[in-house]
Amino acid sequence: MTEKQLSSDVLIVGAGPTGLLLAGDLANAGVRVTVLEKRGSESNLTRAFTVHARTLEQLDARGLADDLIATGAPLSSLRLFGRLRIELGALPTRFPFVLITPQSNTERLLQERALKAGATILRGVEVTGLRQDAESVRIETGEGDAKAVHRARYAVGTDGVHSTVRDLLGIPFPGESVVDSVLLADVRLERTPEDVLTVGANENGFAFLAPFGDGWYRVIAWDRARRLPDSAPVNLSEIADITRRALGEDYGLHDARWSSRFHSDERQAPNYRSGRVFLAGDAAHCHSPAGGQGMNTGLQDAANLSWKLAAAVQGWAPDALLDTYQTERHPVGRTVLRTSGALVRLALARSGPTRALRSALTSFADGLGPVAAKGARSVSGIGIKYPAPKDSHPLAGRRVPDLRLTGLYPAEGTADGRTGGPGRLYEALRTGRFVLVSNDELSAADPWADRVVTAAPADPHGKLRDTVLLVRPDGYAAWAAVDPSRGELRAALAHWLGAPSDD
């Protein structure tokens, strides 16, 4: 029997949101990408309901944000427990809110984009083996007549908490269970909750209600006094009871179409890279659902990794650029574990001191000021920044807001391609390229025109009047300088974009 041999530039294992965003980015960059998914059909199990501001910015850079917002409900604050809320309305972004929409909507838009760009998605394909050498990765799938060998230059495991890729690489996944016997169900309600997102926690446990938008609701609940193994059957009356005790009423929940019991872990792989194979999303880190950061962190992993892999495949990036995925995203994953863990421990509050702290935070929720603002930036992802070399410009490594731009080049629909009208940074990022923002010296980037878009700030006398800014494809500042010489600018472009195409 001859094995089927298939080849790609990049293999992605797992067709969840993380893998689909990664696949769409790579395919848009002209990279041959194949996604392997063991599920035979698209999953109808929505896990995430919250899309935070930074993720919406990343989706905006792919032309998807407005379509996704149309499927859900924006909330200007995120309730945690009691009166404690994270206020998001003052965030410096086009999206000063959290969007409540089922994960399935995010997956649908990302899949449509990936397929349109030319990505291949193979479903019902289970990974059984993985080997790599200095030149390529070999992934085996299936058994018997269905056995196949997929080869690629790189591979990424986005296959969730129980990642086969991570296990085959031998990468550990240390951590612990945070909360066990959590109940999930999709139900109908007789009475509609006042809030779009209904959350409550007290000495009995916690409960959470979120709408699918079609009359169905997801309920997540935990009863401190009733702790059963994941395999124990779920009774609707059990869910209604703890929901009533945690929220004050059960809203007449009935007709569960699906229910389950699970436990929530806090775990993180020490290494997100092993040779030519990478981990992203839940395969690299998992944590409690508090704060709704899980899917968001995975999508931002993908946005960080995709342009680096594309650059490596296209041959203009050094291998060291791929190492920055670990140095930039691993600390973010660690921070998310800490913040979500702190939130869930406060919500579950068993000890007297922890309950007292929760009570104090709830009592003074309106007066937390700068602490609350920092929390909003952290949970929303707006505050994420990456390491920058010593003595770099203060902007280096920081998220760049959605600047107003003019003179975009290349510019669609213009005779010479150099007279683009007004636009936004995140529209310019839809090219998948770097964006050079400067009031002058834009012609210095011409030799890299296949890798960078140039533009001037719409306000030539604003904060960037003397600053030249190079923005990475994921919306973070790669490099900035005040009034640099042409030689300094070309050196920065060569560092970040490799040798010019005319060399």
Side-chain angles (χ1 to χ4, degrees), residues 23-47:
D25 283 5
L26 290 169
N28 271 329
V31 174
R32 294 179 305 135
V33 57
T34 299
V35 183
L36 308 176
E37 171 55 59
K38 70 178 180 180
R39 295 175 298 180
S41 60
E42 295 175 41
S43 173
N44 61 1
L45 173 57
T46 280
R47 292 178 174 83

Side-chain angles (χ1 to χ4, degrees), residues 126-334:
E126 186 166 2
V127 171
T128 57
L130 185 156
R131 286 185 286 172
Q132 61 175 314
D133 55 32
E135 301 297 328
S136 65
V137 181
R138 169 190 166 111
I139 289 182
E140 299 172 1
T141 62
E143 296 179 346
D145 292 339
K147 190 170 184 179
V149 174
H150 302 260
R151 295 182 183 275
R153 293 178 61 183
Y154 298 96
V156 187
T158 62
D159 49 342
V161 174
H162 305 292
S163 170
T164 299
V165 171
R166 188 187 62 238
D167 290 345
L168 290 171
L169 290 171
I171 295 177
F173 204 39
E176 61 182 358
S177 180
V178 183
V179 56
D180 58 1
S181 197
V182 181
L183 303 166
L184 287 85
D186 293 347
V187 300
R188 295 280 192 181
L189 302 180
E190 292 179 358
R191 297 176 295 281
T192 303
E194 290 184 11
D195 296 330
V196 173
L197 203 63
T198 307
V199 183
N202 55 31
E203 66 277 4
N204 298 307
F206 70 77
F208 165 100
L209 285 170
F212 281 92
D214 59 358
W216 289 96
Y217 282 76
R218 167 63 51 82
V219 57
I220 303 176
W222 178 75
D223 188 343
R224 186 188 303 279
R226 186 174 172 81
R227 317 282 282 281
L228 300 175
D230 291 356
S231 58
V234 177
N235 189 295
L236 188 59
S237 62
E238 175 187 11
I239 297 176
D241 177 61
I242 184 55
T243 300
R244 185 167 51 252
R245 287 186 286 129
L247 299 180
E249 68 164 305
D250 62 17
Y251 298 96
L253 60 86
H254 61 94
D255 289 341
R257 64 179 176 183
W258 173 87
S259 62
S260 183
R261 193 186 304 267
F262 80 108
H263 64 278
S264 178
D265 288 355
E266 279 182 1
R267 300 184 183 277
Q268 185 178 27
N271 301 305
Y272 287 8
R273 180 186 188 186
S274 175
R276 291 182 166 269
V277 187
F278 301 80
L279 300 176
D282 288 350
H285 46 75
C286 67
H287 43 82
S288 84
Q293 298 175 83
M295 180 185 73
N296 293 270
T297 306
L299 289 171
Q300 291 167 45
D301 287 346
N304 182 285
L305 180 59
S306 62
W307 66 272
K308 298 173 182 177
L309 276 176
V313 169
Q314 291 162 355
W316 57 263
D319 189 68
L321 179 64
L322 294 175
D323 286 334
T324 65
Y325 173 63
Q326 166 81 17
T327 58
E328 292 180 348
R329 293 305 299 174
H330 193 275
V332 173
R334 184 171 60 244

Side-chain angles (χ1 to χ4, degrees), residues 426-451:
Y426 284 81
E427 291 173 333
L429 288 171
R430 292 174 189 174
T431 62
R433 305 177 191 178
F434 283 72
V435 179
L436 179 66
V437 182
S438 174
N439 275 313
D440 52 27
E441 292 293 349
L442 291 176
S443 62
D446 287 352
W448 292 272
D450 58 331
R451 288 162 246 171

Side-chain angles (χ1 to χ4, degrees), residues 46 66 71 112 117-118 135 168 171 262 351 449 465 488 490 502:
T46 280
D66 291 338
T71 71
E112 289 173 356
E135 301 297 328
L168 290 171
I171 295 177
F262 80 108
S351 68
R465 61 184 180 275
E488 289 171 332
R490 287 180 63 89
D502 59 359

Side-chain angles (χ1 to χ4, degrees), residues 291-411:
Q293 298 175 83
M295 180 185 73
N296 293 270
T297 306
L299 289 171
Q300 291 167 45
D301 287 346
N304 182 285
L305 180 59
S306 62
W307 66 272
K308 298 173 182 177
L309 276 176
V313 169
Q314 291 162 355
W316 57 263
D319 189 68
L321 179 64
L322 294 175
D323 286 334
T324 65
Y325 173 63
Q326 166 81 17
T327 58
E328 292 180 348
R329 293 305 299 174
H330 193 275
V332 173
R334 184 171 60 244
T335 297
V336 171
L337 257 70
R338 289 173 179 171
T339 56
S340 63
L343 288 174
V344 79
R345 286 170 177 81
L346 281 172
L348 303 185
R350 300 181 183 183
S351 68
T354 307
R355 290 186 186 182
L357 175 59
R358 187 180 75 184
S359 178
L361 287 173
T362 301
S363 299
F364 295 102
D366 297 331
L368 293 176
V371 175
K374 184 177 181 180
R377 290 193 298 271
S378 175
V379 171
S380 69
I382 293 296
I384 293 172
K385 59 183 179 180
Y386 296 138
K390 187 179 179 181
D391 300 326
S392 295
H393 188 282
L395 290 177
R398 293 181 178 271
R399 159 196 164 268
V400 181
D402 196 11
L403 303 172
R404 301 296 300 182
L405 303 174
T406 189
L408 293 175
Y409 171 73

